[in-house]
């Protein structure tokens, strides 16, 4: 008897529908309609806020500010999307950012209490901070896959571990400050766009390449679709999960470096209040969900997350320029997230076995 051929893992930017003649077409149509809806919502926000504050919101300076604000959640969002595509979640983002950010600033040229630090590893400080993020990501992946602890619990714990590392590194001395040249790097322009945004573009392109053209990305989709079937088809589920968590940790570490550069000084809580005025974790998870990546896994993609990040960043920026109270801005962002989740889950409600 011949062996059963291995099923092709999902390579598209959405979950593979059941094998029927009309299902793929109908699914693609729903996918395209949702994409058009998100782009339409983005256009509506720009038109509304542009009409309310034409001289400010539509200015070149504010556009550059929006791109700078979107950079950090975009970088984190790439890793978060990969994790969520597997049906897992990574809540350790802010702790990893704090540990990596403090590692970076303490190993590069900085001022503390008006005294210049003798430690300057140059480019190695950048590499070391990213490795700290990757190491914390590896802790997430190893505990989740080897000890079979839910990713929600593991990453929540690693969040506080990372935060603790950042606090220990900060110590009891004066707050470390970057040099003016380093602090100005994110907002300096290349071809009219800030450096921070170009860095986020590079990461987003890398994420798209990984999800569409590598086994790591294809297997992540397959695991999110059905982990048991993926395992029975020979996919090394534990190894793929570990690699994805390591990659997500590295991206969070990179985001921590960028957040420190944007802030101009070191703090373990650098991820708690992003450049857009919202918690990096909230903004990122909300952007992934609003973009259309399913929390159940197997459906979504990096470009969808990019749309979600810009929707929330422009929403926050427009509300801020309109003079809306911070409490109301948080309420609006939360309402948008709830509505997005309901809209995403409603068509699939008949297939949900249990809500937990």
């Amino acid at each position: 008897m011949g062996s059963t051929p291995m099923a092709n893992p999902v390579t598209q930017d959405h979950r593979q529908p059941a094998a029927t003649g009309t299902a793929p077409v109908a699914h693609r149509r729903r996918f395209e309609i949702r994409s058009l809806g998100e782009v339409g919502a983005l256009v509506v926000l720009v038109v509304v806020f542009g009409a309310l504050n034409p001289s400010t919101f539509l200015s070149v300076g504010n556009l550059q500010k929006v791109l700078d604000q979107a950079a950090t959640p975009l970088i984190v969002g790439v890793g978060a999307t990969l994790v969520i595509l597997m049906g897992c979640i990574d809540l350790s983002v802010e702790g990893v950012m704090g540990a990596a950010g403090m590692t970076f600033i303490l190993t590069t040229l900085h001022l503390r209490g008006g005294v210049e630090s003798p430690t300057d590893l140059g480019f190695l400080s950048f590499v070391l901070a990213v490795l700290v993020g990757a190491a914390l990501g590896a802790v997430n992946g190893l505990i989740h896959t080897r000890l079979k602890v839910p990713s929600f619990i593991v990453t929540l714990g690693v969040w506080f571990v990372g935060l603790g590392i950042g606090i220990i590194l900060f110590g009891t001395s004066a707050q470390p400050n970057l040099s003016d040249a380093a602090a100005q790097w994110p907002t300096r322009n290349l071809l009219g766009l800030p450096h921070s945004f170009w860095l986020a573009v590079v990461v987003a392109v890398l994420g798209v390449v990984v999800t569409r053209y590598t086994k790591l990305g294809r297997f992540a989709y397959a695991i999110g679709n059905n982990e048991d079937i993926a395992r029975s088809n020979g996919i090394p589920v534990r190894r793929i999960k570990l690699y994805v968590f390591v990659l997500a940790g590295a991206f969070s570490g990179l985001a921590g470096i960028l957040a420190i550069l944007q802030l101009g000084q070191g703090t373990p809580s650098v991820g708690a209040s992003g450049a857009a005025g919202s918690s990096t974790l909230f903004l990122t998870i909300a952007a992934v969900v609003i973009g259309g990546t399913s929390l159940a896994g197997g459906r979504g993609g990096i470009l969808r997350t990019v749309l979600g990040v810009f929707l929330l960043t422009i929403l926050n920026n427009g509300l801020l320029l309109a003079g809306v109270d911070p409490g109301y801005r948080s309420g609006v962002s939360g309402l948008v997230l709830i509505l997005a989740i309901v809209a995403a889950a409603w068509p699939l409600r008949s297939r949900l076995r249990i809500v937990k």
Side-chain angles (χ1 to χ4, degrees), residues 92 95-96 98-99 136 139-140 143 154-168:
S92 66
V96 174
L136 289 172
V139 172
N140 283 330
I143 295 177
V154 175
T155 57
L156 185 63
V158 172
W159 175 2
F160 289 100
V161 170
L163 183 60
I165 293 173
I167 292 173
I168 292 172

Side-chain angles (χ1 to χ4, degrees), residues 310-355:
F310 276 111
L311 272 169
L312 289 177
T313 304
I314 289 175
L315 177 64
N316 285 329
N317 178 264
L319 292 174
L320 177 64
L321 293 179
V324 177
D325 182 87
Y328 289 108
R329 293 205 306 270
S330 298
V332 170
S333 298
L335 180 61
V336 168
L337 174 59
I338 292 173
L339 292 176
I341 293 175
V342 171
W346 188 258
L348 305 174
R349 63 191 183 281
S350 61
R351 284 183 279 169
L352 295 177
R353 293 171 295 178
I354 187 171
V355 177

Side-chain angles (χ1 to χ4, degrees), residues 4-354:
T4 303
M6 175 177 171
N8 292 328
V10 178
T11 59
Q12 297 175 332
D13 195 38
H14 53 278
R15 178 173 291 177
Q16 186 72 22
T20 64
T22 59
V25 176
H27 197 84
R28 281 196 298 270
R29 285 175 180 170
R30 288 197 299 269
F31 179 79
E32 291 167 358
I33 289 172
R34 173 153 185 161
S35 298
L36 290 175
E38 290 160 354
V39 173
L42 191 61
V43 171
V44 169
L45 287 178
V46 172
V47 171
V48 170
F49 290 132
L52 292 174
N53 297 281
S55 60
T56 305
F57 182 79
L58 297 178
S59 66
V60 174
N62 189 58
L63 172 61
Q64 293 172 337
K65 184 178 181 180
V66 167
L67 295 178
D68 180 52
Q69 290 175 341
T72 299
L74 271 176
I75 293 173
V76 176
V78 172
T81 302
L82 288 169
V83 171
I84 292 175
L85 282 174
M86 299 189 303
C88 302
I89 196 164
D90 185 0
L91 302 181
S92 66
V93 167
E94 293 179 8
V96 174
M97 289 178 64
M102 287 304 303
T103 300
F104 169 73
I105 195 170
L106 293 180
T107 55
T108 193
L109 189 63
H110 64 278
L111 298 175
R112 201 161 195 173
V115 179
E116 186 174 277
S117 168
T119 304
D120 183 13
L121 300 182
F123 182 72
L124 285 179
S125 62
F126 174 88
V127 175
L128 183 60
V130 173
L131 288 177
V132 167
L136 289 172
V139 172
N140 283 330
L142 286 171
I143 295 177
H144 172 59
T145 58
R146 301 295 175 174
L147 302 182
K148 297 184 179 180
V149 179
S151 59
F152 176 91
I153 300 299
V154 175
T155 57
L156 185 63
V158 172
W159 175 2
F160 289 100
V161 170
L163 183 60
I165 293 173
I167 292 173
I168 292 172
L169 291 175
F170 186 87
T172 57
S173 303
Q175 189 168 39
N177 295 282
L178 289 170
S179 64
D180 291 340
Q184 292 170 3
W185 181 86
T187 54
R188 287 177 180 167
N189 295 327
L190 174 65
L191 301 178
L193 303 178
H195 288 165
S196 56
F197 177 68
W198 285 116
L199 178 61
V201 168
V202 171
V203 173
V205 170
L206 177 62
V208 171
V209 171
V210 168
T211 54
R212 293 189 176 183
Y213 304 109
T214 69
K215 288 184 178 180
L216 182 66
R218 294 195 294 270
F219 288 170
Y221 276 106
I223 293 170
N225 269 299
N226 193 308
E227 185 172 325
D228 291 332
I229 292 178
R231 185 178 290 107
S232 65
N233 281 330
I235 293 177
V237 173
R238 292 199 301 185
R239 194 192 319 159
I240 295 300
K241 282 188 171 184
L242 175 60
Y243 291 165
V244 169
F245 273 109
V246 169
L247 192 58
F251 286 148
S252 292
L254 178 60
I257 297 173
L258 179 57
I260 289 290
L261 290 170
Q262 290 174 322
L263 188 62
Q265 56 190 13
T267 172
S269 58
V270 68
S273 181
S278 300
S279 160
T280 302
L281 176 63
F282 171 82
L283 183 59
T284 301
I285 299 299
V288 173
V289 174
I290 289 172
T293 297
S294 172
L295 288 173
R299 184 177 63 223
I302 304 299
L303 295 180
R304 308 297 302 273
T305 297
V306 171
L307 270 177
V309 168
F310 276 111
L311 272 169
L312 289 177
T313 304
I314 289 175
L315 177 64
N316 285 329
N317 178 264
L319 292 174
L320 177 64
L321 293 179
V324 177
D325 182 87
Y328 289 108
R329 293 205 306 270
S330 298
V332 170
S333 298
L335 180 61
V336 168
L337 174 59
I338 292 173
L339 292 176
I341 293 175
V342 171
W346 188 258
L348 305 174
R349 63 191 183 281
S350 61
R351 284 183 279 169
L352 295 177
R353 293 171 295 178
I354 187 171

